[in-house]
Amino acid sequence: RVTALCRALRRSEDEGDEQGWARAREEAEAALQELREVVRPLREPGYGEALRRKAERARKRRLRLQRRKHEARAAKEEEAARAAEREAKIDQWRAKCIQEVEEKNRERELKAAADSVLSEVRKKQADTKRMMDILRGLEKLRKLRKEAAARKGVCPPPSADEAFENQVESLKTLLKTRTELYEAEERALRVMLEGEQEEERKREMEKKQKKEREKLLQQKLEMDSKLFGDPAEFPLGHLLQPFRDYYLQAEHSVAALIQIRHEWDQYLVPADHPEGSCIPPGWVLPSLPTNDTWATAVR
């Protein structure tokens, strides 16, 4: 703006326009005064340092906001990852529960169907037994009536006795065949039920063994963590890495396992030996600190 006013002054002077020149001069002086007011704080001592501190505070504030934004984004991503992991575990647990419920329902349905068939077979056996009792009752009744008729002097012809006996024997043979058939069905059903129960016992045993293995594995991980530190927090090149490699070398090398076992076998003694004791089955965990100095060293 000052440059433009200067050009206007020169142009008014060249043209001989005194009024325009005076007006441009007043505007130029006002602009110069305004410019002096703007520049005056810059010439004061310490203003540059204050301006630098202000710029530094603004820069730090900007960096702090960026760091907070980055931390918030990282925390949000971590929370999303944890939420996804929780959802995955929940889905896995839900699928496992659904599978267990379906297996139990199938087993219950199969058992109910087998029990229904078994009860039907038993009902048929009861009917067959009742029919046999009826036949024996008929034979006894005919014998009593025949004796009563004989006392009265009435005797049935031999053909009637033969026809009755043939009919009874035919019915007995039929009922015996049905009884054997029903017994075979019952044995087959019992074998099937016993097989299902055996499978159920086997599955329960496998579940129990799996839980025991998981428990032993967890105990081993806890022991290793107490002895060698947490593997998840064990960085490469750690101070204890050589010791960890040394004590766990038998898990990765058969030759090292044989050598360590040979060294241990040199100290095998009976349980009642006065100068030694049996080798422990696992790691010997360190005892708790007995004084504050020891506890400080452990920490």
Side-chain angles (χ1 to χ4, degrees), residues 97-158:
C97 292
I98 292 174
Q99 184 179 1
E100 291 178 355
V101 171
E102 290 179 352
E103 289 179 356
K104 290 182 179 179
N105 289 335
R106 284 196 297 269
E107 292 172 2
R108 192 181 299 110
E109 291 175 358
L110 181 61
K111 186 177 180 180
D115 291 340
S116 176
V117 176
L118 185 60
S119 63
E120 185 70 22
V121 171
R122 288 176 177 172
K123 183 180 178 181
K124 291 179 181 178
Q125 288 177 340
D127 294 339
T128 305
K129 185 178 179 181
R130 188 170 61 255
M131 291 179 183
M132 291 292 292
D133 293 338
I134 292 173
L135 281 179
R136 284 194 291 270
L138 289 175
E139 288 179 337
K140 188 180 295 185
L141 178 62
R142 190 174 188 282
K143 182 179 179 181
L144 292 174
R145 287 184 175 180
K146 186 177 178 181
E147 291 176 355
R151 286 195 296 269
K152 295 179 180 179
V154 179
C155 295

Side-chain angles (χ1 to χ4, degrees), residues 189-226:
L189 287 173
R190 289 188 179 279
V191 169
M192 185 178 66
L193 289 176
E194 289 176 359
E196 289 296 327
Q197 292 174 358
E198 183 66 26
E199 289 292 332
E200 180 64 23
R201 287 193 294 268
K202 186 177 179 181
R203 284 194 292 268
E204 292 295 332
M205 183 62 67
E206 289 178 354
K207 290 181 181 178
K208 186 176 180 181
Q209 292 176 354
K210 183 178 178 181
K211 289 182 179 179
E212 289 293 333
R213 287 195 298 268
E214 291 177 353
K215 184 178 179 181
L216 292 176
L217 179 60
Q218 185 64 30
Q219 291 177 354
K220 182 178 181 299
L221 292 177
E222 291 178 359
M223 286 186 179
D224 292 345
S225 176
K226 292 178 180 179

